[in-house]
Amino acid sequence: NAGVMQNPRHLVRRRGQEARLRCSPMKGHSHVYWYRQLPEEGLKFMVYLQKENIIDESGMPKERFSAEFPKEGPSILRIQQVVRGDSAAYFCASSPPAVLAKNIQYFGAGTRLSVL
Amino acid sequence: DQQVKQNSPSLSVQEGRISILNCDYTNSMFDYFLWYKKYPAEGPTFLISISSIKDKNEDGRFTVFLNKSAKHLSLHIVPSQPGDSAVYFCAAGANAGGTSYGKLTFGQGTILTVHP
């Protein structure tokens, strides 16, 4: 059973470009979460999605950031017009409904975004 | 607003001895707590969790203790091994009527180094 798959592992963008980060949850998992980790800090929650629905986006910046989890295909975190402050590690996690009440989330290896 | 705090940025212990990692929280709504372990360039790996209705949970060499009145939890690793060297994050979540909010709030992490 493959784990949570994120790609790309490393992404370099110039200021003003768009960044698209992809996440395929573990098989059987229908809940996806995105977190961001800045250097020397812990992970900060961004958004929680189920198939075709955004459940909680309280951690998403108001502008330039969006997320989706379509019926088919991976979840996408999209950052438009990137700025240097967007440079961070972005982690995706997934969970199956059966353990949802226990809040156990399984993480991917992350995408490290560098904005030049 | 740092709702989950790990006040020790680093901890160094000798192989075979006990490692104790601490975590404090401020939000009374948290009712589920988890510890994750993270190696460089990898995603967090789930270690152990505890519900607020318990004060102790044990899994092999890992034991988590919860003191709700003090809003404090700790992870004990006995005996410590060099392979345990990693960053350890505590995280907290809140359930509402059995339906998870989904969001985990993480501490800043503690770097554990176990010397042979």
Side-chain angles (χ1 to χ4, degrees):
Chain A
N1 188 13
V4 177
M5 303 301 292
Q6 289 189 249
N7 68 81
R9 290 293 308 273
H10 301 275
L11 182 60
V12 179
R13 284 288 177 266
R14 295 191 180 279
R15 282 179 295 170
Q17 291 184 320
E18 178 179 288
R20 283 189 178 231
L21 288 64
R22 294 174 183 77
C23 170
S24 295
M26 289 177 70
K27 187 176 181 180
H29 290 195
S30 56
H31 301 259
V32 165
Y33 316 82
W34 286 93
Y35 293 82
R36 176 166 64 175
Q37 184 183 24
L38 295 171
E40 309 300 324
E41 295 187 11
L43 282 73
K44 303 281 192 222
F45 169 80
M46 299 181 75
V47 62
Y48 163 33
L49 311 103
Q50 295 179 22
K51 284 286 187 182
E52 299 185 278
N53 287 305
I54 296 175
I55 307 302
D56 180 358
E57 55 182 346
S58 59
M60 288 280 270
K62 295 282 187 278
E63 297 176 348
R64 302 187 297 108
F65 285 72
S66 63
E68 63 177 6
F69 188 17
K71 187 176 180 181
E72 301 291 337
S75 175
I76 306 286
L77 179 67
R78 182 183 179 202
I79 311 172
Q80 295 179 288
Q81 300 174 340
V82 296
V83 300
R84 288 216 172 108
D86 296 332
S87 297
Y90 291 83
F91 292 97
C92 170
S94 72
S95 69
V99 295
L100 193 63
K102 294 187 177 181
N103 281 320
I104 299 175
Q105 299 175 15
Y106 300 89
F107 283 81
T111 294
R112 275 141 191 90
L113 173 65
S114 298
V115 180
L116 303 180
Chain B
D1 177 22
Q2 192 69 33
Q3 297 186 58
V4 177
K5 291 184 182 180
Q6 295 175 255
N7 291 316
S8 298
S10 62
L11 175 67
S12 181
V13 300
Q14 206 67 32
E15 181 179 7
R17 306 294 289 268
I18 184 171
S19 296
I20 301 177
L21 298 109
N22 294 302
C23 180
D24 298 293
Y25 63 97
T26 58
N27 190 339
S28 301
M29 294 297 291
F30 290 144
D31 55 9
Y32 211 82
F33 305 90
L34 308 92
W35 284 94
Y36 284 87
K37 172 182 179 180
K38 185 180 180 305
Y39 292 117
E42 295 185 12
T45 301
F46 171 72
L47 271 178
I48 191 169
S49 60
I50 188 167
S51 164
S52 60
I53 62 174
K54 294 186 176 181
D55 55 16
K56 177 182 175 181
N57 188 26
E58 190 172 354
D59 184 2
R61 296 186 298 114
F62 301 92
T63 303
V64 56
F65 295 91
L66 175 62
N67 183 334
K68 279 198 304 182
S69 61
K71 293 191 175 67
H72 177 83
L73 65 155
S74 61
L75 174 68
H76 292 210
I77 307 174
V78 182
S80 301
Q81 300 172 353
D84 295 329
S85 298
V87 181
Y88 289 76
F89 291 99
C90 68
N95 290 327
T99 301
S100 168
Y101 285 119
K103 168 182 177 178
L104 288 179
T105 302
F106 282 80
Q108 310 95 303
T110 296
I111 301 170
L112 173 66
T113 304
V114 180
H115 298 284

